[in-house]
Amino acid sequence: MIDLSALREKPTLAGERVSLVPLAVEHADDFFESTRDDEVRRLTGTHRRPDYDEIRDWCATRADQFDRLDMAIIEEPGGRFVGELALADLDADNESAGYRIALSAIEFTGQGLGKEATRLVLDYAFNRVHLHRVWLSVYAFNMRAIAVYRSCGFSVEGRLRDALLWDQRRHDALIMGVLESDFRRAQD
């Protein structure tokens, strides 16, 4: 049985190179800037550009969401905001939740920051929330992200054909999932 209090706690999760802290209004400026990065928007399939007030309101209300966990990814040392992630779409009956992550700029890719953040949140999801399964959707052209997810134990479970229309081209999305046992094997 999952522990919903673990989603209400809004913990800070510390790694070697990143810390995950509850997403809050103090992250709004950095989060807003990340929504302006064209490559980040392409990788996440985000067509719409939210305005600053929407982002500020979103960040300000994350602590009030008791069925999800929204975290800012902070680079250590230094304290720079390098992205955000969420454990959401909770299905308590089936002990499952969705996951998403977005680094705030391409300059932060390829450094292992997203991988460490993903491992931290999966460890929390399986060991504290007591989920059985975590799933995500990723566009098939995002090979770097797919490699990171695989290294954390995720497997491709399906394909959504032509799920994204970007610059007049259609792209598939992959559905990937990781079970608690898969994650444990990937950590060995």
Side-chain angles (χ1 to χ4, degrees):
M1 174 175 287
I2 67 170
D3 183 355
L4 291 174
S5 71
L7 297 176
R8 287 191 292 274
E9 286 174 8
K10 310 302 183 209
T12 294
L13 306 176
E16 291 180 22
R17 301 199 49 226
V18 299
S19 291
L20 305 181
V21 301
L23 188 66
V25 71
E26 62 262 23
H27 304 114
D29 291 349
D30 291 321
F31 192 173
F32 178 73
E33 283 306 312
S34 74
T35 67
R36 298 312 186 235
D37 186 297
D38 288 335
E39 184 62 5
V40 170
R41 289 180 50 254
R42 183 183 76 86
L43 292 173
T44 60
T46 306
H47 291 286
R48 191 175 154 291
R49 292 180 192 249
D51 66 33
Y52 181 78
D53 290 336
E54 287 177 272
I55 295 292
R56 186 169 167 47
D57 290 346
W58 173 262
C59 291
T61 60
R62 296 305 85 203
D64 302 330
Q65 308 304 309
F66 299 131
D67 61 344
R68 59 183 290 139
L69 192 59
D70 293 276
M71 313 284 293
I73 306 167
I74 306 300
E75 184 181 39
E76 299 296 344
R80 255 191 330 177
F81 177 92
V82 296
E84 53 86 27
L85 59 78
L87 199 57
D89 300 319
L90 179 71
D91 180 345
D93 293 329
N94 294 304
E95 300 173 337
S96 177
Y99 174 63
R100 70 170 176 70
I101 181 172
L103 296 180
S104 61
I106 296 307
E107 71 180 276
F108 300 126
T109 63
Q111 300 177 38
L113 304 175
K115 183 177 185 176
E116 184 175 342
T118 298
R119 286 184 171 162
L120 285 170
V121 81
L122 288 177
D123 183 68
Y124 192 78
F126 293 127
N127 292 317
R128 180 65 181 90
V129 183
H130 303 293
L131 292 176
H132 173 70
R133 178 176 179 271
V134 175
W135 64 272
L136 60 84
S137 174
V138 59
Y139 294 110
F141 58 75
N142 194 345
M143 299 308 290
R144 181 177 278 157
I146 292 166
V148 166
Y149 300 142
R150 284 185 191 279
S151 74
C152 293
F154 283 89
S155 305
V156 174
E157 298 179 339
R159 178 180 293 268
L160 303 174
R161 297 180 309 145
D162 290 350
L164 174 68
L165 176 61
W166 196 268
D167 287 338
Q168 312 311 303
R169 293 190 57 214
R170 297 193 184 279
H171 304 276
D172 293 354
L174 303 178
I175 303 300
M176 299 182 77
V178 58
L179 304 179
E180 178 185 7
S181 57
D182 300 330
F183 175 67
R184 298 212 188 291
R185 275 193 299 277
Q187 301 312 298
D188 293 336

